[in-house]
Every structure is written in C-alpha cells, then in structure tokens.
Amino acid sequence: MTMSAGWYLRRLSRMGPQEVAGRVGDAVRRRRWRAAPPEGPGVTGARFTAVLPAGTLAALPPDAVKRLVADADRLMEGHAEFFGVVRDDLTDPDWWFDPKTGRRAPAGYAFDVPYRSEDTVGDIKQIWEPSRHQYLTQLAAAYAATGDERYAERVAAHLRSWWEVNPPLRGVHWISGIELGIRLLSWVWIRRLLDGWSGTAGLFEDNPVAVRQIWHHQRWLAGFPSRGSSANNHVIAETAGQFAAACAFDWFPESARWRIDALRSLDRHLRGNTYLSGINRELATEYHGLVLELGLAAVAEADAAGVPVPASVRLVLLRMTDALAAIVDNRLRPPRQGDADDGHGLVVDGAGTDRWGSLLATGDAVFGRLPWWPTVTGTDVRTPLLAALVKRAEPSARRPAKRPAHFADAGMTILRGPEEIWCRCDGGPHGFLSIAAHAHADALSVEVRHDGVDVLADPGTYCYHGQPEWRRYFRSTLGHNTLELDGADQSVSGGPFLWTRHAETRVLSVDAANEDTASWSAEHDGYEGSVHRRRVELTPASRELRVIDEVRGPRRAVRLAFHLGPAITADLEGDRARLTWTKDGEDRSAVLELPGQLSWRAHRGETDPVLGWYSTGFGRREPATTLVGSGFTDGTEGFTTVLGFRGQGGA
C-alpha cells in the first residue's frame, strides 16, 4: 500500500509546528547518515552484570517450563506461525522474505525502502515479526530452564546471521523504531538467559559485530524518536528498549546520556499514554497489554542496574494493572477494543500461557493483588523472571477499594450480571492524539459475553497493510455493534492509520451498581446534523440486556448491526433471532428481539462487500454471523433491542 500525495497532505494537517520541525530535522539527519554512516566506538573490557539472582531458574513452574520447551522444540525443527502464516523455514531464516506473498524486501539504504508497498516489499508485518527476535528469547529461556546447549547454539547462529545480513542502516529492519526497541529488549534478555553458556561472552560483549549493532540501535533510537501525533505505543517501545539496553549494555561513552534521556522519555510518555484511571489512551486493549509489558520490563532493568526510577513510572504501571484486573471477564479476557496486532513486549513463555493471566500474576508479584481481583490460576515463566529483578515495595498510592465498573476518563463502562454476563459499553474518545491511529469508528458500541463466550462480539482487527478493503471493514462503524447513518462511518478516515475527523462522545449517565437494573447511556455527534443516543440496561433478575437507540435529526437511512461471536449459531425469523452455543460441553441459548421497524438479514463470511467476519488474531479471520437491520429514522421513535439469556443448559 503506497501513500498518495493526498494522504501526505492529510497527515501533515494533523501535525503541529513543533512536530513538523522535528520531522524536517529527521529528514536532514537521514540524508547526513546516508552520506557518512557512523562506525561506532571501539569497546574493550565490556562486561554483562545484569544477571538473574541465584535460585531464580530453579523456581520456574514445571508446567510453564514444559510448555516453553515444547515450543522451543518446534522452533528447533524450524516450525513457527506468525499472524496466521505457518512457516517451516526457521532453522535458517531469510530475514527479508515474506512467505505470505512470496516477495523479498529490496536492499539499500533503510529509509529508501518503500515498506508500505506490499507489491514491492511484501507484507511488512510478516518480515518484521521474526526479527523482533522474540522466538529467540523463547529458545534462550528454554536453555536457561534446561541447560540444553542446542537451544543456545541455535540462538547464537541466528543472531550472527541476522547481524551479518542487516548491517546498520541497510534494509527493511532499520526503518521503524518500535522494531529496534523491541529487538534491543530481546537482546538484553537473550544475553541474560544465556549467561550460563560458555559461548555467551563471545556472542555479545567480546563480539565487535554485536557491540556495533547494539550501539547503532541505540544511536538510531536517540536520533529518530516517534514524536507528536505518532507518540503512541511506538514511543514506549522505543524508550523501553533504549533504556533497557543502556542499563544492561552499559559499555559506551553515550550510555549514561542515553539512559537518562530514555528514562525521562519513558516517564513522560507512559503518563501521556495512560489515563489517570489506568486505561491506555489508545483505547485499544492489546496496546494496553503491550505498554504494560514494556513498562514492567523497563523497571526490571532499572532495578537490576540500580538505576532510580521516578515514582510516577511505577504509579502508572500500578494503575494499568489494577485497571486490567477490573475490566477482564471471568475468563480473564479484557475487552476487544480498537486495533490489535498481537504485539508483545517480552516473550519467554510457550503457547497456551494466558497473556492476561500472566500480566496479572506479574502485577500480583510486583504490586500485590487487591481483594477484588479475579483469581489467576495459571502459571508462567515471565512472572518469576521479572519478579526476581524488580524491587517490590508497598505502593504509596491509593488503590480502588472495590472493583471499578466505570472509567470516566476513558469512557469505558463494564456492566456485569448473573451467570457471568459481561457487557462493555463504549462512550470514550475516538482514540489517542490527532491521528487516532489505532482507533475504530465504534462510538456507543457494545460487547457482550456470557461466561467468557462472545455473544455480541467486537470483530477485531485482522490486518493493517496491503488489504485496504479488509482494513476499512474491521475499522468501520458497520463493523461494530452500533448504528450507522447514510452508509457512512461516524468518524472520517484519511488512511489506514489516520482519522481526519473524530466523533465526539459524551456519557450521560452510569448506574453500574444498581442491583435491580444497571444502566449506561451516552451520545455522539459523529453524523453532522444528527445525534445518536444509546441507553443500555442490564436486569439481573431476568438475565436481560436492553439496548435503546435514538437518533435526533432529519430523516436518514439507518443500519443497525449486531455481530455474533464465532461460537454462536443464529436462527433468524423476522425480527427475532434464537442464539445457541456450547460451552464446556453444555448447551446454552439466548433470544435476540430486534427492532421491528427495521428489515433484518443475516450475513456470514461475505466478501462483496465484506461483512460477517471475526478475527481471532492478527492475520486470522473466520466467518461469523452478523445481523443487520436496515431502514430509516426520522427522529420520532427509537429502536429497542432485547437480548435475553435463557440460562445455562438452555433453561
């Protein structure tokens, strides 16, 4: 996907003068580095001292180690999966090859590579992901847990290969700061986890090629920080990686300055990226997880190196952890909100390890759990590793005495009912910063689960680059459980990561604690000349969720969409749909009574146009039923939808 001149003009319009000046400086620096690439300093006597405390590895949970080793063995055989694409070439990877399109990224100066063009480069996410080297942190963790040197030798071979074919500033892996930051964090942990191997010093501190790579990564991050309208989760990854490397690889004349600058930036941007309630400002839950993982990893490096960390850093991470504990359902699944690209900050666990349970376990180890937190029963490798480095202290901040249901600054409300009925109501801002890069046009959408099963589902994200029709659908108003007017989105898109007009949403009332009927209402102004207002009521006694939509304004065409989860079978007759599914071997059901003023149709797995899909993860999609009611609104009457759960066992 190449960007047109119009896109660049729209993108420029969302920048302030300071950001424009900074980007001009970046352009000048790129030209200067191209003409005279720096070699980097010679280093002698470098040592790695940020090792794990004695006894850490012996305390790893056996079941978590078993999962890790199973994954490591698959990797040793060359098998891996990235974003739905299965690979069997990981014994000796081609670092520039995209197996999805069969294309190979062109060589040359990094900033000349047109990485947004799938026709030229391939799917950039498929190329970048293995080079985050998080599968190598898995192999290194497997070595640390078992002492099997095969894992260490494979890690060494792949790092040497990568360093050889990706010299500084050459090729596709030197374009994006988030990639460099996460890669540095991976290298820090690889060095730490391989500490008991005899070849480790020769791979890292005694290896001029590795030292040069580490220096150039940090110099790049210091020279090209994400700024202004792009200072979202990317800048957190950049500063966390820079800071971790400047702590653990404290080998260079610039290390102290890089460490100070990165920590200052991390502190500022963690606060800037996070509401006071603890919810990530991008309102994209997976990025909440990514930022929290990166922040915890950065604090671990600081404590391992004895570097003081501002109290505000730990406070933000504490609030993020408590917020995560508050919004998950009974199966520890958080909302599916906004963009999601399966990005992780630090990977040392095998498949089957629950990401959110792992984060809550780490939060418990670092901050201490609150009485209202959900119970975390699983185990992981990452928690004991991080907890061994982080200096635990009793938080001085006041924490919620009971589970919060409404996060006013983020516009997120969670209504809960019997039999683990869980409903997220979206009355928040349209994303973060002027471009709201990872936002969806989902104002006033609802997401409903029953015992962890998606009933009214957020369809997810699926893709970023190369498939514009799919990107548009999964970000669209029609692609969410909300109301669309005149076939248009509530907010105006200017590109795949750019919104030029943002719907303004206002929460009108919240009564989440009412035992008779919990309720929420909000409105937005995304459709000029009309206002969409929605009220949601959850009545525990009847296990019933009622959604009332009103549109104030002139007569307009309306489409009301309800996306069902992939486990749900729907039998639609007129304006009534019977929903059935199975959970843990038990049949369950619900009835969806739809507004009779609209004409209802069921859509599933359609491509012309795209409609009726659910994305389980980045690069993966499957058919799911979407119910769409079409008609008109003249502002005189509302649309009422009632979802009634019939109880477990279909009772």
Side-chain angles (χ1 to χ4, degrees):
M1 180 185 298
T2 54
M3 298 303 178
S4 65
W7 178 87
Y8 284 103
L9 289 173
R10 292 190 297 272
R11 183 67 182 84
L12 185 64
S13 72
R14 309 303 293 178
M15 301 181 194
Q18 187 174 359
E19 181 179 355
V20 171
R23 290 178 182 269
V24 170
D26 291 347
V28 171
R29 191 173 299 109
R30 287 173 186 144
R31 287 198 298 269
R32 187 170 70 246
W33 286 14
R34 175 176 184 158
E39 284 301 312
V43 172
T44 58
R47 292 293 178 264
F48 183 86
T49 59
V51 297
L52 290 168
T56 300
L57 298 174
L60 297 180
D63 59 331
V65 170
K66 184 177 180 180
R67 290 193 301 270
L68 168 64
V69 170
D71 259 19
D73 288 343
R74 283 190 289 270
L75 289 167
M76 291 294 290
E77 294 171 356
H79 303 304
E81 179 181 329
F82 298 107
F83 308 135
V85 176
V86 176
R87 298 183 62 162
D88 58 8
D89 61 341
L90 260 287
T91 53
D92 184 20
D94 181 340
W95 301 106
W96 292 7
F97 177 69
D98 165 30
K100 179 179 171 183
T101 63
R103 297 188 178 95
R104 194 170 188 273
Y109 184 58
F111 297 111
D112 291 342
V113 177
Y115 71 96
R116 292 191 180 96
S117 173
E118 187 169 295
D119 291 339
T120 304
V121 174
D123 185 327
I124 192 61
K125 293 282 287 180
Q126 289 289 340
I127 297 173
W128 276 345
E129 190 67 17
S131 288
R132 290 187 172 188
H133 290 168
Q134 292 177 326
Y135 78 94
L136 295 182
T137 57
Q138 289 179 294
L139 288 174
Y143 163 76
T146 67
D148 188 335
E149 294 193 353
R150 294 180 306 120
Y151 302 128
E153 290 163 356
R154 177 62 58 81
V155 171
H158 281 204
L159 285 178
R160 293 183 189 277
S161 166
W162 195 93
W163 290 332
E164 179 182 358
V165 301
N166 292 282
L169 302 178
R170 309 301 295 179
V172 73
H173 296 302
W174 290 87
I175 296 172
S176 174
I178 186 174
E179 304 304 317
L180 276 77
I182 290 177
R183 192 156 53 239
L184 273 179
L185 185 59
S186 294
W187 292 352
V188 168
W189 274 92
I190 289 169
R191 174 59 186 85
R192 175 175 290 126
L193 292 165
L194 294 186
D195 190 63
W197 181 52
S198 60
T200 307
L203 179 63
F204 280 95
E205 54 265 32
D206 295 338
N207 180 2
V209 174
V211 170
R212 183 169 180 259
Q213 284 275 353
I214 292 167
W215 184 84
H216 270 282
H217 271 67
Q218 293 184 81
R219 187 175 191 270
W220 192 108
L221 290 170
F224 300 109
S226 292
R227 61 179 82 247
S229 57
S230 293
N232 55 9
N233 66 86
H234 283 231
V235 78
I236 304 297
E238 294 161 11
T239 56
Q242 171 88 319
F243 178 70
C247 287
F249 302 138
D250 184 17
W251 304 335
F252 310 106
E254 303 92 343
S255 291
R257 174 171 54 83
W258 284 339
R259 190 165 55 244
I260 292 169
D261 290 348
L263 182 56
R264 183 183 300 116
S265 177
L266 181 67
D267 180 24
R268 178 165 64 92
H269 288 295
L270 271 175
R271 287 183 281 115
N273 273 252
T274 311
Y275 288 112
L276 289 177
S277 66
I279 300 292
N280 181 263
R281 285 183 181 268
E282 293 201 73
L283 298 175
T285 311
E286 283 215 4
Y287 288 113
H288 183 111
L290 174 64
V291 168
L292 181 53
E293 289 170 356
L294 291 165
L296 290 168
V299 168
E301 294 306 326
D303 289 352
V307 176
V309 173
S312 50
V313 170
R314 296 183 198 266
L315 178 59
V316 170
L317 299 176
L318 169 65
R319 287 173 172 164
M320 292 183 73
T321 305
D322 281 341
L324 176 62
I327 62 178
V328 294
D329 64 20
N330 67 305
R331 303 279 175 158
L332 302 184
R333 294 179 60 219
R336 285 167 54 92
Q337 183 179 25
D339 270 349
D341 71 347
D342 297 355
H344 291 259
L346 174 64
V347 181
V348 289
D349 277 285
T353 302
D354 180 76
R355 176 186 195 174
W356 308 105
S358 171
L359 267 173
L360 291 176
T362 304
D364 184 6
V366 172
F367 302 118
R369 59 175 286 115
L370 293 172
W372 53 261
W373 273 30
T375 300
V376 177
T377 56
T379 57
D380 66 326
V381 170
R382 186 177 61 187
T383 290
L385 294 179
L386 288 175
L389 299 177
V390 176
K391 296 176 181 176
R392 177 167 175 172
E394 289 300 318
S396 58
R398 184 177 179 182
R399 300 172 71 184
K402 59 182 181 179
R403 190 175 205 167
H406 177 57
F407 298 83
D409 47 10
M412 182 188 295
T413 302
I414 308 293
L415 304 181
R416 298 176 188 268
E419 298 178 4
E420 303 297 352
I421 297 171
W422 176 99
C423 174
R424 173 181 64 87
C425 303
D426 182 1
H430 179 73
F432 180 45
L433 301 173
S434 62
I435 63 173
H438 291 297
H440 291 186
D442 58 356
L444 308 193
S445 64
V446 296
E447 185 185 2
V448 181
R449 298 175 191 160
H450 184 276
D451 195 14
V453 174
D454 291 325
V455 179
L456 301 184
D458 183 300
T461 300
Y462 177 55
C463 66
Y464 280 170
H465 303 280
Q467 297 172 281
E469 71 280 8
W470 291 97
R471 177 66 171 151
R472 280 193 296 268
Y473 171 71
F474 279 100
R475 292 203 310 163
S476 70
T477 297
L478 185 62
H480 294 84
N481 297 317
T482 188
L483 184 144
E484 176 204 78
L485 294 181
D486 291 343
D489 288 335
Q490 309 150 335
S491 296
V492 178
S493 173
F497 298 99
L498 171 64
W499 296 91
T500 57
R501 182 178 178 276
H502 303 179
E504 295 284 343
T505 305
R506 183 165 66 104
V507 175
L508 302 173
S509 66
V510 176
D511 190 2
N514 191 306
E515 295 182 359
D516 295 326
T517 299
S519 64
W520 166 92
S521 67
E523 65 183 18
H524 77 82
D525 66 353
Y527 295 111
E528 295 183 2
S530 298
V531 173
H532 174 206
R533 176 176 293 180
R534 168 169 279 186
R535 181 174 177 83
V536 177
E537 300 173 346
L538 176 59
T539 304
S542 59
R543 300 193 297 268
E544 188 174 272
L545 188 82
R546 185 177 297 265
V547 181
I548 304 102
D549 290 294
E550 299 174 353
V551 179
R552 291 181 293 161
R555 178 180 171 86
R556 304 180 78 158
V558 61
R559 285 195 292 183
L560 180 60
F562 290 107
H563 300 262
L564 308 181
I568 307 299
T569 298
D571 182 10
L572 177 65
E573 293 185 4
D575 55 9
R576 187 177 188 271
R578 176 174 168 80
L579 314 181
T580 55
W581 66 97
T582 301
K583 176 68 173 178
D584 297 333
E586 187 177 72
D587 292 336
R588 307 189 183 184
S589 66
V591 172
L592 192 60
E593 303 283 356
L594 300 159
Q597 310 99 304
L598 303 176
S599 176
W600 289 91
R601 285 187 57 196
H603 304 265
R604 185 177 179 86
E606 299 172 9
T607 57
D608 188 21
V610 176
L611 189 58
W613 295 90
Y614 180 96
S615 175
T616 56
F618 197 82
R620 295 178 289 273
R621 68 173 190 258
E622 60 183 289
T625 301
T626 297
L627 305 176
V628 178
S630 303
F632 293 89
T633 175
D634 58 9
T636 61
E637 61 178 333
F639 306 103
T640 299
T641 304
V642 180
L643 174 61
F645 291 98
R646 294 312 188 222
Q648 297 181 10

